[in-house]
Amino acid sequence: MLSRLLAHDAVLREARPGDEPGILACIQALADYEREPDAVENTVEALHTTLFGETPQAFAHVVEHDGAVAGIALWFVTYSTWTGRHGIWLEDLIVLPEHRAAGYGKALIASLAAVCVERGYSRFEWTVLDWNEPAIGFYRSIGAVPMGEWTTQRLTGDALEALAAALA
């Protein structure tokens, strides 16, 4: 069970039931930062099911400071057909602004790297907005490299429904 004491008496740990409101607040803060404040449809209830339901499909590590969630790394397991092994996809990494520069972001991302190593996973991947220079600088500082030539593709809304209907 992950539990590590960090600077300013913060604790890095796996998320647990009851953290959902703090996790959702971090997700909203990230959406605000990424200039998509109205994009979050997630709820406390949906997070509970996803993270702590009968068959969790995503996981989270949190930094707790003074009893509140100060940062999150929300992730899920991937699979590489090339390596034949699993990996981690980091969906969201955020430390609330008032808690930045204390090493919490690095601790969160290092905790996921440790999961990869412990479980024999071959990859740890994520995306970053091309204008987010502070995040890009941070990622370069820990040794992450961009995957040139690869672009993220997405289907949502009407296009997703239309493609699904094409199978009928």
Side-chain angles (χ1 to χ4, degrees):
M1 180 69 90
L2 171 69
S3 182
R4 170 169 273 164
L5 188 61
L6 303 175
H8 311 291
D9 295 321
V11 176
L12 168 65
R13 60 175 175 76
E14 294 172 2
R16 59 182 179 231
D19 288 334
E20 300 91 329
I23 293 170
L24 186 57
C26 285
I27 292 167
Q28 184 62 59
L30 182 59
D32 293 346
Y33 177 77
E34 292 183 349
R35 305 172 187 161
E36 294 284 344
D38 299 323
V40 177
E41 298 177 14
N42 210 340
T43 65
V44 167
E45 295 78 17
L47 278 171
H48 181 81
T49 300
T50 299
L51 298 172
F52 311 113
E54 189 174 314
T55 54
Q57 298 297 307
F59 310 92
H61 291 183
V62 302
V63 171
E64 179 183 339
H65 183 265
D66 287 338
V69 174
I72 64 168
L74 203 142
W75 58 280
F76 54 90
V77 176
T78 62
Y79 179 76
S80 168
T81 57
W82 290 10
T83 67
R85 299 193 331 246
H86 289 291
I88 284 180
W89 183 268
L90 174 61
E91 183 64 19
D92 285 341
L93 174 70
I94 184 166
V95 174
L96 297 175
E98 61 271 24
H99 297 286
R100 292 190 183 143
Y104 301 163
K106 186 171 183 179
L108 283 162
I109 208 163
S111 73
L112 298 187
V115 170
C116 285
V117 170
E118 174 186 307
R119 296 182 184 180
Y121 292 173
S122 60
R123 295 179 177 172
F124 179 16
E125 300 174 302
W126 61 92
T127 58
V128 61
L129 289 167
D130 59 5
W131 56 259
N132 192 345
E133 292 299 327
I136 292 168
F138 168 65
Y139 297 143
R140 296 301 165 268
S141 78
I142 62 170
V145 295
M147 297 295 298
E149 300 180 1
W150 291 88
T151 61
T152 302
Q153 306 296 305
R154 178 178 292 165
L155 277 172
T156 62
D158 292 342
L160 179 65
E161 290 185 28
L163 184 59
L167 187 60

